[in-house]
Amino acid sequence: MADLPRMIRTPMPPILYLVVQDFGPGFGIGSGDVTGCRDTAYDNFADAAENGRPVAVWEIATHGGLPVCLKDDTDTFERELQEVCIARDLDWPTVRRIEDAPFPIAAE
């Protein structure tokens, strides 16, 4: 075991985003990778909204490499999408929410 290369630890970002989408029958609920980049999360959210897929955005706060808090940030992303559309004189898509997730969102 001593000959195995040491694992290089990369610090975890203090905030991670998980964008979960319902891809419909045959595909189900899924997501891309969790990202520390809010712009990437926003792009995934906007793509889901534009394509009419139910979506949720969860913000995961971390400390010491562990998740410490999870909150639904979908409302914030929806408001931002509306503001961008208004500024560009575009109609904004209706954001469909993932309601009643079929899995536990957070442990109490």
Side-chain angles (χ1 to χ4, degrees), residues 6-28:
R6 290 181 69 197
M7 292 181 60
I8 299 173
R9 294 186 183 247
T10 304
M12 186 175 287
I15 300 292
L16 296 171
Y17 297 93
L18 175 62
V19 180
V20 180
Q21 303 177 47
D22 186 343
F23 293 96
F27 293 102

Side-chain angles (χ1 to χ4, degrees), residues 22-96:
D22 186 343
F23 293 96
F27 293 102
I29 294 174
S31 70
D33 291 337
V34 175
T35 181
C37 178
R38 191 179 188 289
D39 291 343
T40 298
Y42 177 81
D43 288 345
N44 291 337
F45 168 80
D47 180 66
E50 185 176 328
N51 287 293
R53 290 189 299 270
V55 62
V57 180
W58 293 318
E59 181 182 290
I60 306 164
T62 67
H63 181 74
L66 297 172
V68 293
C69 181
L70 175 73
K71 77 172 190 174
D72 185 336
D73 211 16
T74 311
D75 289 341
T76 304
F77 278 68
E78 182 176 11
R79 277 192 302 278
E80 185 175 328
L81 178 59
Q82 289 174 352
E83 291 169 3
V84 167
C85 290
I86 289 168
R88 295 180 181 173
D89 197 28
L90 300 170
D91 292 332
W92 61 80
T94 299
V95 175
R96 297 176 57 210

